Amino acid sequence: MLGTGLGIYLPVVLYVGFLAGCLLAIAWRPTIGLYILILAIPQQGPRYRIGYLPLGKHLIVLLLLCVFIGVLIRGYSFPRSTLNKVLILFCAFIFFSFWWGVLSASVTAPFIERFYHWKDYMALPALFFATSATIRTRKQLGTALALVCISVLLVGRGFGLEIRQHDFAHFDENKRDSGPLGLGSNNTAAFEAEMSLVLLAIAIGQKKRARKIFLYGILALSLFCLLFSFSREAYVAFLVSLMAMALIRRRLLGFVVPALVVLLLAWRLVLPQAVTERISMTEDSTGQLDSSAASRLELWSDAAELIASNPIVGSGYDTYEYMGRVGSLRDTHNYYVKAMVETGVIGLFIFLAIVVKFFQTSWTLLKRTQDPLFSSLGLGMVLCTVCIIVVNFFGDRWTYVELNGLVWVLFGLVAYAHSELDSAELATAHQTASAQIRGAFAERTLSRVPS
């Protein structure tokens, strides 16, 4: 398990570690619970091993609750953020949408299973609030970022260990693996694409050589995983995000654009044979769409009928997968379409509002400070948001905590960075005002001294 050599003892070790984290989050520091969550969230495979133990399937949510209890005990406040109100609205609407689907006579679905899905989905905004409330110093932010990098490293290592038995001389669907996320190769690819962009931005902003080498090493592993996930959507999202980075950092245009041009022109020569075969599968030898692309068109056509039947609030959260509309397929393979089907125009609007706020807060952080760490974090999350926008055109890359848990933690760090900058600006303004008052008082005193 993760190459630790602990074998059958690892589930017990993980379980005891989770419980210890819960106690420490309440009795000592909530940040301890957050740190454990950062390492554990993407590791769905290892967490499955402790599912048979009491509350083993719900340890992520349990640890989150303990973090919030620790926050309340210590009187920590949530920093002001433009995201807060949008996320509260989002949680309230999804709660309504869940019950709308439960009470709908047109959908028959297991209540407990759907409740668990809703619970895991709500863990995402909870991670944002937990991060923004518990991270209270720059040192803690640096620790959280370091743990995010280690978490990405563990995912990459787990994926590498899983695919090492494959021969990649030619592409085969059986060679597509999920890695520790356990969500399918496309979701793993989306994770690696998003995290690679964050790693790249942070690595560029580092001054210390050892940290640069460490970050670029993890980046290389993540790109390896991305390449051999055989996910065409993740390839496109990563390249689009790289182009966005070049437009933001104009000095990179001279390098990124020629590299992309060479890749687009000579990809058959540059990329491994198995990868080129996978990319070429978008169309068959007769020019027809392959089965994957053709099934998506059929799904979207069918989804249009569902949207027309209830365009305002949709059929209810997490209902489409139980409808059996197109064969055995349980997803629309486009989250924007899925949001319209299940949550209607209102749900899609709220989702887009969150994405816009993600981009806006990250962009503002990038532009408002010269601090290398904060600026790199802002750039990384701008690129990550662009990647999220693209990958969700090809499937649900939004609702899974294993896939996006670290993304919401990172946006919590962005919120903390803004609060620290606000505090610094307020302190500077206070000092300036005090200096002006002292100067005016001194001038007035001197004017009263007889000449």
Side-chain angles (χ1 to χ4, degrees):
M1 181 68 65
L2 297 178
T4 60
L6 294 176
I8 61 174
Y9 302 106
L10 186 59
V12 177
V13 173
L14 291 175
Y15 186 73
V16 172
F18 263 108
L19 295 182
C22 291
L23 294 175
L24 291 172
I26 295 174
W28 187 32
R29 293 180 182 175
T31 47
I32 299 298
L34 178 67
Y35 294 158
I36 295 174
L37 282 167
I38 290 173
L39 294 173
I41 285 169
Q43 301 292 335
Q44 187 187 68
R47 283 193 280 110
Y48 271 151
R49 296 279 297 275
I50 58 179
Y52 68 94
L53 296 168
L55 295 175
K57 294 181 179 180
H58 313 292
L59 285 178
I60 293 294
V61 173
L62 178 63
L63 189 50
L64 261 174
L65 289 174
C66 292
V67 169
F68 282 116
I69 292 172
V71 166
L72 293 174
I73 290 174
R74 281 153 190 80
Y76 292 170
S77 59
F78 296 97
R80 292 184 178 182
S81 170
T82 55
L83 268 169
N84 291 358
K85 292 181 179 179
V86 177
L87 293 182
I88 292 172
L89 175 63
F90 163 68
C91 293
F93 179 77
I94 295 299
F95 181 74
F96 159 79
S97 183
F98 167 74
W99 283 104
W100 176 262
V102 168
L103 300 174
S104 173
S106 61
V107 179
T108 302
F111 174 80
I112 293 298
E113 183 177 336
R114 293 188 57 241
F115 176 79
Y116 287 163
H117 292 171
W118 169 80
K119 177 248 322 173
D120 291 339
Y121 189 24
M122 290 299 97
L124 292 171
L127 281 167
F128 169 83
F129 286 117
T131 303
S132 61
T134 56
I135 299 298
R136 307 185 67 79
T137 67
R138 187 185 180 89
K139 183 178 179 180
Q140 290 176 342
L141 181 143
T143 301
L145 274 178
L147 289 173
V148 167
C149 295
I150 293 173
S151 189
V152 176
L153 173 62
L154 291 175
V155 171
R157 185 173 186 272
F159 183 83
L161 291 173
E162 195 170 292
I163 68 170
R164 62 182 175 177
Q165 75 272 16
H166 295 318
D167 175 15
F168 291 112
H170 296 282
F171 173 75
D172 188 316
E173 282 288 346
N174 294 324
K175 297 175 182 177
R176 304 189 70 190
D177 292 288
S178 301
L181 269 68
L183 296 174
S185 55
N186 284 329
N187 284 302
T188 298
F191 174 89
E192 295 294 357
E194 292 167 8
M195 291 299 106
S196 294
L197 294 162
V198 176
L199 289 168
L200 178 59
I202 296 176
I204 291 174
Q206 288 295 321
K207 302 298 182 183
K208 294 185 178 180
R209 183 180 180 87
R211 291 181 181 177
K212 274 186 174 289
I213 294 174
F214 174 69
L215 289 168
Y216 280 124
I218 302 175
L219 174 61
L221 177 60
S222 295
L223 292 177
F224 170 83
C225 297
L226 173 61
L227 192 64
F228 287 100
S229 65
F230 300 110
S231 175
R232 293 167 292 189
E233 64 187 65
Y235 299 159
V236 172
F238 184 75
L239 294 178
V240 170
S241 302
L242 279 184
M243 198 62 217
M245 184 180 71
L247 294 173
I248 295 169
R249 298 293 196 195
R250 297 297 179 89
R251 57 189 175 83
L252 297 176
L253 276 172
F255 170 76
V256 173
V257 174
L260 290 178
V261 170
V262 171
L263 180 61
L264 292 174
L265 293 177
W267 60 274
R268 291 183 181 274
L269 300 175
V270 175
L271 298 177
Q273 177 67 23
V275 176
T276 61
E277 290 178 1
R278 173 57 177 162
I279 296 174
S280 301
M281 285 175 62
T282 303
E283 293 183 351
D284 60 23
S285 58
T286 64
Q288 300 294 316
L289 292 174
D290 75 346
S291 58
S292 174
S295 65
R296 291 175 190 241
L297 294 178
E298 185 179 358
L299 282 166
W300 298 339
S301 176
D302 176 71
E305 298 179 11
L306 289 172
I307 293 170
S309 66
N310 200 339
I312 306 302
V313 295
S315 60
Y317 169 71
D318 194 35
T319 53
Y320 183 82
E321 65 173 313
Y322 301 103
M323 292 180 181
R325 298 283 299 188
V326 180
S328 61
L329 297 175
R330 305 181 69 181
D331 188 80
T332 61
H333 289 280
N334 181 310
Y335 184 71
Y336 303 96
V337 174
K338 183 178 181 180
M340 275 292 294
V341 169
E342 295 188 340
T343 59
V345 174
I346 297 176
L348 179 62
F349 177 80
I350 294 174
F351 164 67
L352 293 176
I354 293 173
V355 173
V356 169
K357 285 296 182 182
F358 276 177
F359 186 91
Q360 185 183 48
T361 54
S362 303
W363 180 264
T364 305
L365 180 63
L366 170 64
K367 292 300 180 180
R368 74 180 292 197
T369 179
Q370 298 299 317
D371 184 293
L373 180 59
F374 288 174
S375 180
S376 297
L377 178 61
L379 175 61
M381 297 318 294
V382 166
L383 301 178
C384 184
T385 305
V386 173
C387 189
I388 289 171
I389 292 170
V390 177
V391 293
N392 276 285
F393 278 105
F394 302 92
D396 182 358
R397 316 293 177 234
W398 175 254
T399 62
Y400 300 104
V401 67
E402 293 82 8
L403 169 56
N404 279 326
L406 294 185
V407 171
W408 287 78
V409 167
L410 289 166
F411 279 114
L413 297 180
V414 170
Y416 164 76
H418 276 293
S419 68
E420 182 173 308
L421 293 174
D422 291 339
S423 299
E425 290 174 359
L426 184 62
T428 301
H430 183 268
Q431 291 174 359
T432 302
S434 299
Q436 290 174 345
I437 292 172
R438 288 194 298 269
F441 179 77
E443 182 179 350
R444 185 175 180 182
T445 301
L446 290 173
S447 66
R448 291 181 178 179
V449 176
S451 58

